Amino acid sequence: MSDLGRTITLTVNGERVTRRVEPRQHLIDFLRLALELTGSHVGCEHGVCGACTVVVDGEIVRGCLVLAVQADGAVVETIEGLSERGALADLQAAFHARNALQCGYCTAGMLITADALLRVQPDVDRAAIRSFISGNFCRCTGYHAIVDAIEAVARARREAAKESAGR
Ligand code: FES
Ligand code: FES
């Protein structure tokens, strides 16, 4: 660690974390290397592929484009935390049921992105799903099964919301 290191404190998956980091270290490397949260992946390292997608203060970001020091004071959620609290359980089940993953390299980022879409746009159609996930590259599946899975969850979430509103 150089003299330029800086101490940051942030909340990651509900736990407060304080670490000294290099100013140039990206958030995704901090999460993977310092905290051993390796569920999010690193692909292109320049903001194109979406493999490094995580949630910072409620918004999806590319962990390779954010410096760890910029996340000082933030609330960060990764695939590990989101999975543990069941936030993605329906999407995970749908991806599994429809073979929407093969190697799995894109999957953490894809699930987090899909969940972000369904939270802001529950009434989404296939074209909107394709457009929203266009920044998340999958080199294996051809995307069709991914869109099927997200569409099925969108429908199920809408039905569940309708049911609970009618009670
Ligand atoms: S590794 Fe961050 S967008 Fe590709
Ligand atoms: S499942 Fe292999 S990159 Fe998407």
Side-chain angles (χ1 to χ4, degrees):
M1 177 84 46
S2 74
D3 291 349
L4 294 173
R6 183 172 144 192
T7 301
I8 60 170
T9 298
L10 60 168
T11 303
V12 181
N13 297 331
E15 276 183 36
R16 210 164 160 76
V17 170
T18 299
R19 292 281 192 291
R20 200 157 170 79
V21 296
E22 292 275 2
R24 66 183 176 184
Q25 185 172 46
H26 288 104
L27 178 61
I28 193 65
D29 295 324
F30 172 72
L31 294 169
R32 288 175 53 84
L33 302 174
L35 304 187
E36 297 182 352
L37 294 167
T38 54
S40 302
H41 293 138
V42 181
C44 65
E45 293 185 84
H46 61 274
V48 174
C49 74
C52 63
T53 303
V54 293
V55 181
V56 176
D57 291 335
E59 302 285 339
I60 51 170
V61 302
R62 300 192 173 229
C64 71
L65 294 184
V66 177
L67 295 170
V69 291
Q70 291 177 296
D72 190 14
V75 174
V76 176
E77 286 196 287
T78 70
I79 190 70
E80 288 87 350
L82 291 163
S83 298
E84 207 161 291
R85 69 177 173 84
L88 306 175
D90 52 359
L91 280 163
Q92 287 166 316
F95 270 53
H96 184 254
R98 288 163 192 272
N99 289 326
L101 66 151
Q102 288 176 31
C103 77
Y105 206 83
C106 70
T107 308
M110 200 66 89
L111 288 165
I112 291 173
T113 301
D115 185 58
L117 169 63
L118 297 187
R119 278 189 284 110
V120 296
Q121 209 180 324
D123 222 0
V124 75
D125 62 17
R126 291 182 75 83
I129 293 170
R130 280 194 179 274
S131 167
F132 200 82
I133 65 167
S134 64
N136 288 72
F137 292 178
C138 177
R139 65 189 172 182
C140 306
T141 64
Y143 298 97
H144 198 79
I146 292 174
V147 176
D148 284 350
I150 298 170
E151 189 185 31
V153 172
R155 204 179 310 117
R157 286 190 187 183
R158 281 198 302 271
E159 279 162 19
K162 234 187 265 169
E163 248 175 56
S164 72
R167 264 187 217 141

